[in-house]
């Protein structure tokens, strides 16, 4: 398994994890259920770990695919810049989640504040997760690029036409 393959295996969890984690945390917050909030915190922590692995395999993946036809360094660079922002947010969210877990177990009065901070970070993170996923997908899926020249409704000339 090379870095490109490993990158493809691990890079989806930070995106999916933050989306599900945000939904679960919001539910736990409104129902004042610490067990549900702790599940969300766990997802955020695992997402941060997978983000670190994804970032560590990204450079190797780039080296493998950057010279493929229709890819180029610019599109990879755009993905890399957004992915770095997401990773930083996920690392912060992971630390906030560790604090949230601790405060929930201690039944500390500041646990609610940490939940609000985590929700706020996760909302911003979901935006960057969407951007990261889209730019990553555009690397190999030229049909989803904004500058795609593929026209799926264009008709091909038949063999009879000259």
């Amino acid at each position: 398994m090379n870095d490109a393959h490993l990158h493809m295996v691990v890079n989806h969890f930070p995106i999916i994890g933050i989306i599900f984690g945000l939904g679960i945390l919001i539910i736990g917050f409104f129902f004042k259920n610490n067990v549900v909030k702790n599940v969300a915190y766990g997802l955020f922590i695992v997402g941060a770990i997978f983000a670190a692995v994804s970032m560590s395999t990204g450079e190797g993946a780039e080296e493998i695919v950057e010279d493929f036809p229709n890819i180029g360094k610019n599109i990879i660079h755009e993905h890399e810049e957004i992915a770095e922002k997401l990773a930083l947010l996920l690392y912060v969210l992971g630390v906030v989640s560790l604090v949230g877990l601790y405060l929930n177990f201690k039944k500390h009065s500041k646990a609610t504040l940490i939940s609000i901070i985590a929700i706020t970070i996760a909302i911003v993170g979901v935006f960057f997760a969407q951007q990261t996923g889209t730019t990553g997908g555009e690397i190999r899926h030229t049909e989803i690029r904004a500058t795609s020249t593929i026209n799926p409704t264009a008709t091909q000339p038949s063999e009879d036409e000259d």
Side-chain angles (χ1 to χ4, degrees):
M1 182 180 300
N2 61 29
D3 276 351
H5 186 190
L6 188 56
H7 187 72
M8 292 293 293
V9 168
V10 300
N11 70 11
H12 296 91
F13 190 84
I15 295 169
I16 295 166
I18 195 168
I19 294 168
F20 284 143
L22 175 60
I24 292 167
L25 184 56
I26 289 170
I27 290 167
F29 181 79
F30 283 115
F31 286 105
K32 297 179 183 2
N33 187 322
N34 284 344
V35 173
V36 174
K37 288 192 273 186
N38 289 344
V39 169
Y41 291 148
L43 281 171
F44 294 147
I45 292 165
V46 173
I49 292 167
F50 272 76
V53 175
S54 188
M55 292 301 292
S56 70
T57 59
E59 197 66 38
E62 176 182 4
E63 294 299 318
I64 292 169
V65 302
E66 68 186 348
D67 293 323
F68 283 14
N70 297 322
I71 293 184
K73 293 176 176 48
N74 289 339
I75 194 158
I76 294 173
H77 179 73
E78 180 182 348
H79 171 64
E80 183 179 9
E81 291 297 312
I82 294 171
E84 287 171 353
K85 291 175 178 80
L86 174 62
L88 286 173
L89 273 170
L90 285 169
Y91 302 153
V92 170
L93 186 56
V95 171
V96 168
S97 295
L98 286 170
V99 172
L101 281 172
Y102 177 78
L103 294 179
N104 279 345
F105 286 129
K106 293 293 185 178
K107 299 187 185 325
H108 195 279
S109 62
K110 299 286 186 200
T112 300
L113 175 63
I114 293 299
S115 294
I116 293 168
I117 292 169
I119 288 170
T120 305
I121 295 169
I123 288 170
V124 174
V126 166
F127 169 77
F128 283 104
Q130 184 275 326
Q131 295 293 310
T132 301
T134 298
T135 58
E138 288 174 346
I139 291 171
R140 293 292 290 165
H141 295 280
T142 57
E143 73 277 8
I144 66 170
R145 293 181 189 170
T147 58
S148 178
T149 57
I150 298 171
N151 185 357
T153 60
T155 58
Q156 298 294 324
S158 67
E159 291 179 15
D160 295 337
E161 296 175 7
D162 287 312

